[in-house]
Amino acid sequence: MTVIEAVTPGSDLGPQCAGFRRDTITLTWEDRRRGHGRRRSDSGTEFAISLPNGTILKGGDCLVLPEANTIIEVREAPEPVYVIHPKSPQEWAYYAYHVGNRHQQVMIGSDELIFLQSPAVRSLLEQLRVAFATDQRPFTGALANVGHS
């Protein structure tokens, strides 16, 4: 089985990949954070990854399988999320404080905060009495490291 140890941005693919077959792999946020393990592309190609610690796959990243003459492009899977739209700097700070204090994943947009749906997040939003909407969209958390260091 091919083991991929590096990620290549799509813009950095060299001429040696010109004739390679194209494939995709659609991954959730959690799957994009896991840098080790077996994977299967969207069309069924099996391979493994052993990426440097802390690597987070992003949409458009490429995994090159030279033995199979294949490039597998990462796609970010739509996931169920909650979306809130803070109306003032105070609301932004208030929500960020409570979310961070409970170690919940958050994606920060230009005018919205996005959370993966879970009972803990729903309970938090209800406790804060904040209006939220549900949606499906790719999610990329603002922080990859958890802890107080």
Side-chain angles (χ1 to χ4, degrees):
M1 173 174 289
T2 300
V3 177
I4 297 168
E5 297 179 336
V7 177
T8 305
S11 59
D12 290 351
L13 294 172
Q16 71 276 14
C17 298
F20 281 23
R21 181 177 74 86
R22 294 294 187 133
D23 197 349
T24 58
I25 186 167
T26 306
L27 301 170
T28 65
W29 168 237
E30 278 305 313
D31 290 336
R32 288 184 288 119
R33 293 177 60 193
R34 280 187 269 186
H36 300 277
R38 297 181 95 160
R39 300 287 184 266
R40 182 187 303 255
S41 74
D42 294 336
S43 69
T45 302
E46 293 189 4
F47 60 97
I49 59 173
S50 181
L51 302 173
N53 286 340
T55 301
I56 297 175
L57 296 169
K58 300 176 295 301
D61 283 345
C62 292
L63 307 171
V64 180
L65 289 77
E67 300 85 8
N69 291 330
T70 302
I71 297 167
I72 299 176
E73 183 177 337
V74 173
R75 291 190 178 161
E76 298 176 357
E79 302 184 68
V81 295
Y82 298 122
V83 181
I84 64 173
H85 294 273
K87 294 175 182 53
S88 69
Q90 290 79 12
E91 283 188 1
W92 279 93
Y94 181 72
Y95 301 147
Y97 168 79
H98 283 287
V99 168
N101 196 40
R102 289 173 176 86
H103 298 278
Q104 298 299 315
Q105 296 283 333
V106 62
M107 185 167 109
I108 302 170
S110 60
D111 66 344
E112 61 190 8
L113 295 173
I114 303 108
F115 309 91
L116 286 173
Q117 286 187 20
S118 74
V121 171
R122 184 176 189 97
S123 176
L124 171 62
L125 296 176
E126 289 172 349
Q127 286 174 4
L128 296 176
R129 296 189 177 147
V130 58
F132 61 90
T134 59
D135 199 2
Q136 289 268 336
R137 58 173 82 171
F139 180 88
T140 299
L143 301 174
N145 298 326
V146 178
H148 294 276
S149 58

